[in-house]
Amino acid sequence: ERLGILCSGRGSNLASIIEAVERGDIPAEIAIVIADKADAYALERAREKGIPAVPVIYRDYAERADFERALLKELQAHGVTLVVLAGFMRILSPIFVHAYTGRILNIHPALLPSFPGAHAHRDALAYGVKVSGCTVHFVDEGMDSGPIIMQAAVPVLEGDTEETLAARVLEQEHRIFPASIKLYVEGRLRTDGRKVQILHVAE
Ligand code: GRF
């Protein structure tokens, strides 16, 4: 598989995926890293590793559809077969999703279906949950609503802030995202469109 990784910020999930590929844990190649902001540190991380790093700037395009077509052009030009959203903060329309149906993975920093959207930690703390965590899922046309591949839970502690909770969740993100990508690349994921089964390789 050829991975196309989309980022918006510092790229700590990107870094964990690069490390997993480099140690041979994920039998795939990272074909391109795209960020929707020119100053996203994720691009720097890719450049340091000699991975093609391409900014596709949202406001350079008059319409969202044009922005998404630009993303698709880059992904297709690099022969991408699996799209990985690693801290990518844009909603993708059906135009994009249909181009890679069943081949887009996302990580969300909450236990979906709880707390979808862009403020998961804030919403979890405001609600007063005692457990939070993260979710890797296939991307469908909804927001944070596709079939769930893997989740990890962390305790919410007295005095937690968005920052302390985010740091605790991020440790688990860095574990389950590479693990989920590995399962996909090894062909061990099956979905009926709602639920995901993990096939265990015959010993
Ligand atoms: C992570 O919490 C991720 O779940 C969310 O964005 C945050 C930043 O991720 N989508 P990264 O450090 O840029 O990978």
Side-chain angles (χ1 to χ4, degrees):
E1 297 283 339
R2 291 176 57 79
L3 311 183
I5 305 181
L6 274 55
C7 304
S8 293
R10 92 210 119 175
S12 73
N13 275 286
L14 168 68
S16 64
I17 296 164
I18 290 174
E19 283 158 26
V21 169
E22 282 184 340
R23 64 172 181 265
D25 229 15
I26 298 176
E29 182 178 352
I30 301 175
I32 186 172
V33 171
I34 298 174
D36 61 324
K37 296 196 195 74
D39 63 348
Y41 187 61
L43 293 174
E44 187 50 40
R45 293 185 197 265
R47 290 188 190 105
E48 279 167 11
K49 298 286 184 177
I51 298 169
V54 178
V56 177
I57 309 306
Y58 187 71
R59 66 170 176 280
D60 286 357
Y61 299 90
E63 306 283 334
R64 174 192 294 278
D66 300 327
F67 168 70
E68 293 190 358
R69 271 190 282 274
L71 291 176
L72 289 170
K73 185 163 161 280
E74 286 295 345
L75 293 168
Q76 284 149 3
H78 287 78
V80 166
T81 59
L82 177 66
V83 178
V84 173
L85 307 182
F88 187 65
M89 303 312 274
R90 299 277 175 203
I91 302 292
L92 292 166
S93 79
I95 294 173
F96 186 97
V97 174
H98 289 163
Y100 278 98
T101 300
R103 296 184 293 148
I104 310 173
L105 303 185
N106 183 49
I107 184 122
H108 182 73
L111 294 174
L112 294 174
S114 296
F115 312 123
H119 307 287
H121 299 307
R122 181 198 71 186
D123 298 344
L125 290 171
Y127 195 98
V129 296
K130 301 305 181 185
V131 171
S132 192
C134 49
T135 303
V136 178
H137 63 95
F138 283 108
V139 171
D140 64 8
E141 294 189 13
M143 179 180 68
D144 298 328
S145 57
I148 291 173
I149 297 168
M150 204 177 285
Q151 294 186 302
V154 302
V156 178
L157 304 176
E158 284 302 312
D160 258 339
T161 63
E162 284 187 51
E163 290 70 30
T164 58
L165 178 56
R168 192 172 310 121
V169 171
L170 208 52
E171 280 176 24
Q172 297 305 313
E173 294 181 41
H174 297 165
R175 185 173 61 77
I176 69 170
F177 211 179
S180 298
I181 295 167
K182 176 182 175 64
L183 288 171
Y184 178 97
V185 167
E186 291 177 344
R188 293 168 57 194
L189 295 179
R190 287 290 177 279
T191 178
D192 62 3
R194 177 58 272 155
K195 295 202 286 281
V196 175
Q197 280 79 36
I198 296 177
L199 305 184
H200 294 284
V201 177
E203 301 308 329

